[in-house]
Amino acid sequence: MTEEDPGPVVQRILLGAELREARENSGLSTADATKRLGWYAGKLSKVEQGDKSVTDRELSKAIDVFGITRERAEALKELATEARRKLPPARVPEWATKYVNLIAAATELKLFFPDSFPGTVQTFEYAHAILSSAVIVAPADVDRMAEERSKRAERLMNSEATRLWLVIGEEALHREIGGKAVLRGQLEQMRSLAETPNTTVQIIPFDGGAHACHGTAFTIITLLEGRPGIVYSEGLTGSDYLGREHVRVYNLAYDNLRAAALSPQKTLEAINRRIEELS
């Protein structure tokens, strides 16, 4: 997948969002729409969440049931065609593939990680150390997955298309994942990232007291300006993609995190001090 090709996963999500909006504008509940479409229970929810594609026949039925205009219908048919394409899988767990495609197509990313730097910005060495300790990653896959993470970080650093907000707990500056040299290399990369015009990095200090998201790492992904984003949270064996009212709550929490964090300038100073300590 290239920067110009957002991939079928993203197209599927965009199509699902359009269909959900059309259904709601038509005044139909999920249950009523499912009955009129003749779909099995749960299928419409999967389509609207971007987890399932639709055939041309199914889309035509939805266009009719939801009263979608001819002009809009043509655009949706193109989206549906793109959403059914196949791409080689990324070297990540199957349940995380969707996230990899989403961040590649995002116009804005807001990340909060309380105790480490996220895979989106990891160096090869830092990623290798984390993946080597993961219970769900086979040793044979560690090198390839770490390389893929570092390449994604490099693309993000060189991209002017994605606005990146990153709030990190101060613990990440001190937890020596991979050892002192590896942490120093990761911090040096964070310093370079913080100095790019499209990125804002902030640290939640140890002495800052309570904040809005203890123990909860998450990413808010915006695909299209002015449209609701998607919240992604990940556990050891799976992940959640949350939309609509959840996005509002997580954005509010993120605003509170940024208010509780050090300023970008003081964050950069803290990163520089820690680099010197590790030298």
Side-chain angles (χ1 to χ4, degrees):
M1 185 177 64
T2 67
E3 291 183 3
E4 293 76 21
D5 178 8
V9 172
V10 175
Q11 304 290 4
R12 203 162 59 231
I13 290 169
L14 293 175
L15 176 62
E18 292 284 351
L19 289 176
R20 181 179 60 234
E21 183 177 335
R23 173 182 60 77
E24 292 174 345
N25 289 340
S26 72
L28 290 172
S29 67
T30 302
D32 289 338
T34 295
K35 185 179 297 184
R36 292 187 61 178
L37 289 167
W39 294 357
Y40 62 79
K43 179 174 180 176
L44 181 56
S45 293
K46 290 181 179 180
V47 170
E48 291 184 353
Q49 292 168 5
D51 291 328
K52 187 172 183 60
S53 59
V54 292
T55 65
D56 289 338
R57 184 175 180 179
E58 290 170 335
L59 180 58
S60 294
K61 180 70 172 179
I63 288 169
D64 181 55
V65 169
F66 300 156
I68 297 172
T69 65
R70 179 179 297 180
E71 180 181 357
R72 192 70 203 131
E74 291 304 314
L76 294 184
K77 289 176 181 178
E78 290 182 12
L79 272 178
T81 299
E82 289 294 301
R84 291 193 294 267
R85 289 187 299 116
K86 300 292 185 182
L87 287 178
R91 293 187 180 94
V92 296
E94 182 179 352
W95 44 266
T97 302
K98 184 175 177 179
Y99 176 69
V100 171
N101 286 272
L102 285 172
I103 61 174
T107 58
E108 181 179 70
L109 294 171
K110 295 179 180 177
L111 299 94
F112 170 65
F113 275 66
D115 56 12
S116 63
F117 295 102
T120 315
V121 297
Q122 289 174 2
T123 65
F124 173 85
E125 293 79 11
Y126 192 90
H128 196 281
I130 286 183
L131 292 166
S132 295
S133 64
V135 296
I136 62 167
V137 178
D141 293 333
V142 170
D143 283 351
R144 291 178 297 180
M145 291 176 67
E147 180 68 21
E148 198 160 277
R149 285 191 181 187
S150 66
K151 286 182 178 178
R152 289 202 300 272
E154 184 178 346
R155 285 195 296 268
L156 189 62
M157 290 179 67
N158 295 323
S159 172
E160 297 181 358
T162 305
R163 181 79 177 95
L164 176 64
W165 305 83
L166 185 60
V167 178
I168 300 293
E170 188 176 354
E171 180 180 343
L173 275 66
H174 294 271
R175 180 167 293 279
E176 295 181 5
I177 292 173
K180 293 181 184 296
V182 170
L183 177 57
R184 185 175 65 248
Q186 179 64 53
L187 289 170
E188 289 170 346
Q189 176 151 300
M190 292 308 304
R191 178 172 61 191
S192 298
L193 188 61
E195 292 173 342
T196 62
N198 62 317
T199 300
T200 301
V201 180
Q202 292 180 262
I203 297 295
I204 298 280
F206 283 136
D207 59 7
H211 59 73
C213 301
H214 288 281
T216 304
F218 63 90
T219 303
I220 304 173
I221 306 163
T222 299
L223 294 173
L224 295 174
E225 296 291 344
R227 300 297 299 271
I230 300 164
V231 174
Y232 172 82
S233 62
E234 182 178 305
L236 287 177
T237 57
S239 59
D240 287 321
Y241 294 88
L242 309 173
R244 302 186 70 75
E245 72 275 6
H246 300 284
V247 178
R248 181 186 63 80
V249 173
Y250 275 84
N251 270 310
L252 177 60
Y254 204 83
D255 289 342
N256 289 339
L257 286 170
R258 292 202 63 216
L262 299 176
S263 70
Q265 181 57 42
K266 288 189 178 298
T267 292
L268 192 54
E269 292 171 1
I271 291 174
N272 283 329
R273 284 196 302 271
R274 188 65 182 130
I275 290 172
E276 290 181 7
E277 292 171 1
L278 292 166
S279 298

